[in-house]
Amino acid sequence: MDQMEGRRALRLLKKVNLGLESSINADMAEMDLTAAQCDVLGYLEEHRGKAVYSTDLHRDLGVSRAAVSALVKKLKAKGFVTLTAEPSDDRQKRIEPTGRSGLLHQKMERRVDRVVHKIYRDFTEEEAEAFAGLLQRMYENVQTMIKEEADL
């Protein structure tokens, strides 16, 4: 791929990301949630019953520590999560979804499933699987690049 095509691909990835985020934000507005808040709630629901801390959200969702703190604070104020201090370390707060979060989770999942269906509308099953694999490889390359730059 030449440099111009590479830059074009990066711009398209950014546009896809922004478009998806905008669509999910609009779809979740009636629930007073943002796409980022939905990501956190989805992660917490997937890990319900397990100990989840802000460092887990930071690492697994790829958002800054400051953003995690702000997201959790807003979700707590809206009654979607509770924070519990760890007995062994008062600085560590376990983040747990509330019953309200569980009720909303199914609704969020249905809406996200509709978005996924729409964005893959003209893809064959093979194309969708190949695309997901390519995105995973690209993500891994980005993670390697970040690590290499941090080691400089």
Side-chain angles (χ1 to χ4, degrees), residues 20 23-24 27 108-123 128:
L20 287 171
S23 175
I24 293 170
D27 208 20
M108 286 180 349
E109 289 294 303
R110 283 192 303 273
R111 289 182 180 205
V112 170
D113 287 347
R114 279 198 307 265
V115 169
V116 169
H117 179 74
K118 287 177 183 178
I119 65 172
Y120 284 101
R121 180 180 18 229
D122 297 325
F123 286 61

Side-chain angles (χ1 to χ4, degrees), residues 19-36:
L20 287 171
E21 189 168 355
S22 176
S23 175
I24 293 170
N25 280 336
D27 208 20
M28 299 299 172
E30 75 179 52
M31 293 184 250
D32 193 28
L33 290 170
T34 65

Side-chain angles (χ1 to χ4, degrees), residues 10-73:
L10 289 176
R11 282 193 299 276
L12 282 173
L13 282 171
K14 184 175 181 178
K15 287 178 181 182
V16 167
N17 180 54
L18 291 172
L20 287 171
E21 189 168 355
S22 176
S23 175
I24 293 170
N25 280 336
D27 208 20
M28 299 299 172
E30 75 179 52
M31 293 184 250
D32 193 28
L33 290 170
T34 65
Q37 291 168 345
C38 288
D39 280 345
V40 171
L41 288 178
Y43 183 92
L44 293 172
E45 286 297 333
E46 289 169 12
H47 294 85
R48 187 178 275 277
K50 299 176 186 165
V52 175
Y53 305 96
S54 61
T55 53
D56 299 315
L57 296 171
H58 162 67
R59 180 192 62 240
D60 295 342
L61 297 180
V63 295
S64 71
R65 294 179 197 280
V68 167
S69 178
L71 288 164
V72 169
K73 185 176 181 179

